Amino acid sequence: MQAYQALTGRWAVLALWYIVNTSLIAYYKLLERFGGASQALLATRTAWQELGIHTAHLNRWQDATDVLAFIDRVQKELSINAYHLLDTSDEAYPSQLLQLYDPPPVLFYRGNVARLNDEQIAIVGTRNPTQYAQKITFDLAQYLVQSGYTITSGLAQGVDRQAHLGALTQLPTLMGRTVGVMGTGIDVYYPRNHHALFAQIIDEGGCVLTELLPATPASKHTFPRRNRLVAGLSLATVVTEAAVQSGSLITARLSAEQGKQVFVVPGLIDNPQAQGCHHLIREGATLIYHPNHILEDIGRQIDVPKTFGFGASPDKTPSKPTQNSQATVTSSTSSVAQHKIIPKHLTAIFDVLSDTPQDLDALVAMSGMAVPTLLAGLLELEILGVLVQIGGRYAKA
């Protein structure tokens, strides 16, 4: 259509993306047939029909007034820095997504665009995690950022939120190492109570992005697309807690289909929120109980002091308090436990341990805790490296 003659480059790409309502199949079908977005816009209706393009797309294409009004609105919003735009020809477009068979032709983003080309690891999981999973996710994200990676997740409640917060709680030199992928338009906050999280990510040097058009609301169709980008941006995906029907399993599957490794943190066998994790392990995902397993498998060996969580060192302090208050253990009877940072909620368990291995019954009697709570705490202490299990008995490391 002649009305589109003035649209070239990214504006032609954006117009075509709008016309096909972000359908990757329709977009790339048109691109392959006509050789470019500008050529597709100027083709005939008959040529579009021969490709089997949906009638709704055809009608939107013929309503040039509406399409040009959309382009004008985006240009105005870009001019006031409401958000920013990338297409696949931009140098800042994430190289990881270009490896996909059908990369999103445009990305809308806010924040530090340089984050998109960092080496990223995805951390995903349930929206309703146990306290144990929240803690593990938070500490895992901290550790991986301190090992040189950026954490990518989907900005949802639960595990996603803890992954972003753990990545953000760092020394000043490591702040902002997180990418949030939205399942909505760039100007739509979802969930609504995450305004503060979005602002923190952007203000501290992270980035949020989406392939969806501005004003796109959340729906059951938009989140699998978000999950695809989470997997696509990342070198590997970690699932810390997920039910069998969790969307996190979609992210894990997409990551595996892209030839990337999937890591899984095991949970209690009677926890329904961990059954998806156990399913992934049975299907061949890699079980981990320390983030070093991830670093070893993706080829990075980092030997740097850690400030939080796994193998923490107390000689440095964070620029802001972490989610969980912690206590420093300086046991004179344990060489490994000396100067380890023990989360406050685990100190009661750590205090009943000794250098002599004790069985679970003895620890239950001394701590007064229920078995599931005690086992979860013992596992956390083992991950922290301050506890060892010897023949089913537990002792300070």
Side-chain angles (χ1 to χ4, degrees):
M1 289 180 63
Q2 298 306 306
Y4 296 125
Q5 279 187 330
L7 293 180
T8 59
R10 66 162 52 184
W11 306 119
V13 169
L14 182 59
L16 191 61
W17 190 232
Y18 174 76
I19 288 166
V20 300
N21 198 25
T22 71
S23 167
L24 286 161
I25 293 174
Y27 179 86
Y28 279 105
K29 187 182 290 186
L30 289 162
L31 221 61
E32 182 179 0
R33 169 64 178 81
F34 299 111
S38 297
Q39 297 92 313
L41 291 173
L42 297 174
T44 65
R45 182 181 177 93
T46 300
W48 278 46
Q49 287 174 322
E50 288 173 351
L51 292 174
I53 300 300
H54 195 282
T55 302
H57 303 335
L58 284 167
N59 293 339
R60 194 178 295 109
W61 169 62
Q62 290 198 298
D63 188 358
T65 301
D66 175 66
V67 176
L68 295 174
F70 167 74
I71 297 297
D72 183 61
R73 176 166 67 89
V74 170
Q75 289 176 335
K76 288 178 179 176
E77 291 172 346
L78 291 172
S79 71
I80 62 173
N81 293 321
Y83 50 80
H84 306 281
L85 179 68
L86 292 174
D87 63 63
T88 54
S89 67
D90 287 314
E91 186 176 346
Y93 188 96
S95 58
Q96 309 93 301
L97 294 185
L98 291 174
Q99 307 306 312
L100 299 178
Y101 171 73
D102 49 359
V106 297
L107 293 172
F108 300 88
Y109 74 92
R110 296 176 64 200
N112 183 4
V113 69
R115 290 278 81 87
L116 301 184
N117 278 291
D118 286 350
E119 289 187 313
Q120 298 166 51
I121 295 177
I123 300 180
V124 297
T126 177
R127 286 177 169 81
N128 300 293
T130 60
Q131 185 176 3
Y132 162 76
Q134 292 182 54
K135 179 66 172 67
I136 291 298
T137 301
F138 190 90
D139 288 348
L140 182 66
Q142 286 183 323
Y143 191 103
L144 291 173
V145 166
Q146 292 171 21
S147 298
Y149 291 97
T150 289
I151 301 302
T152 300
S153 198
L155 293 164
Q157 300 275 20
V159 164
D160 287 14
R161 176 180 173 82
Q162 292 301 312
H164 291 303
L165 290 174
L168 289 167
T169 307
Q170 301 290 342
L171 296 169
T173 55
L174 293 175
M175 288 177 64
R177 299 296 181 91
T178 192
V179 172
V181 183
M182 303 171 67
T184 62
I186 192 67
D187 51 354
V188 178
Y189 290 98
Y190 184 88
R192 292 182 180 179
N193 63 342
H194 274 189
H195 282 79
L197 177 61
F198 277 76
Q200 185 179 357
I201 290 173
I202 295 165
D203 293 345
E204 295 187 5
C207 187
V208 297
L209 78 152
T210 181
E211 66 179 317
L212 302 170
L213 300 171
T216 301
S219 77
K220 65 179 181 180
H221 305 293
T222 60
F223 291 111
R225 299 188 66 155
R226 175 204 63 183
N227 297 344
R228 172 176 175 265
L229 294 192
V230 169
L233 286 165
S234 306
L235 298 172
T237 294
V238 184
V239 184
T240 55
E241 188 173 74
V244 172
Q245 300 301 320
S246 172
S248 305
L249 271 64
I250 297 175
T251 308
R253 175 179 58 79
L254 292 168
S255 188
E257 288 176 356
Q258 293 169 16
K260 300 169 182 177
Q261 197 161 355
V262 177
F263 299 96
V264 180
V265 177
L268 296 175
I269 61 173
D270 59 351
N271 175 17
Q273 292 292 72
Q275 288 179 2
C277 292
H278 300 151
H279 170 77
L280 288 172
I281 293 169
R282 284 179 57 85
E283 292 296 309
T286 303
L287 184 153
I288 61 167
Y289 54 88
H290 195 286
N292 276 343
H293 300 153
I294 302 170
L295 304 182
E296 292 166 1
D297 281 10
I298 62 178
R300 170 168 292 190
Q301 197 67 38
I302 294 292
D303 184 19
V304 295
K306 299 297 183 285
T307 309
F308 309 99
F310 301 90
S313 169
D315 56 349
K316 295 183 180 179
T317 55
S319 58
K320 62 176 72 177
T322 63
Q323 285 272 105
N324 302 283
S325 55
Q326 297 171 317
T328 303
V329 174
T330 56
S331 168
S332 60
T333 60
S334 174
S335 59
V336 176
Q338 282 186 344
H339 304 300
K340 289 286 184 178
I341 296 177
I342 304 298
K344 190 173 182 180
H345 70 283
L346 297 178
T347 55
I349 299 175
F350 188 83
D351 287 346
V352 300
L353 294 171
S354 70
D355 293 336
T356 302
Q358 302 171 87
D359 62 27
L360 188 62
D361 289 341
L363 295 176
V364 168
M366 288 187 290
S367 68
M369 294 182 179
V371 172
T373 302
L374 181 60
L375 284 172
L378 291 170
L379 179 58
E380 281 195 66
L381 290 170
E382 187 172 2
I383 291 173
L384 285 170
V386 298
L387 173 152
V388 292
Q389 188 177 164
I390 305 171
R393 299 188 175 196
Y394 304 88
K396 289 181 178 179

